[in-house]
Amino acid sequence: MKIFGNLLWWLFGGLEAAIGYFSGSLALACTIIGIPVALQTFKIGLLCLWPFGSEVYEKESSGGCLQILLNVLWIIFGGLWACLMHIFFGVLLFVTIIGIPFAKQHFKMAKLSLAPFGKDVKLNF
C-alpha cells in the first residue's frame, strides 16, 4: 500500500515538489554558508519523495543552542512559508475523504519544514 500511495503522490505533485526542494538545495549548496541549510532542504525533499511509510524523528545530537539558533533563522528566512504551504494543502486535502492519507503526509512535512535542524527522516521502502 505504501508503494501505491507514493506512486499516487508522485503523480499528483509530489515529484515536482521534491524536485523543487532538491533544486533549492543545490542552489544553497553552491555557497559555503548555505551548506547546512542545503542539507535540511535535501532532507525535506527526500521526505517529499517518499512520504508514505517514512518517519520523522528527533536526532540524537549535541547541537544544543546552535540547533535552536539555526531553527529560528530557518523560520525567519522561509521555513514558516514552507510550513504554511504544507498546512494549506493538508487542510485542502483533508476536506475530501479520499485525500485524508495525503493530508497526513503534508502535515508530517509541515512539522519537518518548520524546524528541520535536530530532526532526521527514516525512509521505509
Side-chain angles (χ1 to χ4, degrees), residues 11-79:
L11 185 64
F12 293 111
L15 187 60
E16 289 86 4
I19 290 171
Y21 277 117
F22 291 145
S23 62
S25 181
L26 185 64
L28 285 166
C30 290
T31 65
I32 291 177
I33 199 163
I35 290 175
V37 179
L39 292 174
Q40 305 311 311
T41 55
F42 188 77
K43 187 187 318 180
I44 298 169
L46 281 178
L47 182 63
C48 199
L49 198 58
W50 294 98
F52 287 92
S54 299
E55 301 172 20
V56 177
Y57 62 94
E58 296 288 328
K59 193 175 4 176
E60 301 271 340
S61 67
S62 60
C65 294
L66 186 60
Q67 285 180 356
I68 294 170
L69 175 67
L70 290 172
N71 277 328
V72 168
L73 289 174
W74 174 272
I75 290 170
I76 292 170
F77 291 110

Side-chain angles (χ1 to χ4, degrees), residues 86-114:
H86 286 298
I87 289 174
F88 174 74
F89 284 117
V91 168
L92 280 179
L93 287 167
F94 207 79
V95 171
T96 66
I97 302 275
I98 200 164
I100 291 174
F102 299 100
K104 288 181 181 180
Q105 305 312 313
H106 270 292
F107 293 142
K108 186 188 327 181
M109 281 184 260
K111 180 181 161 185
L112 180 64
S113 65
L114 185 62

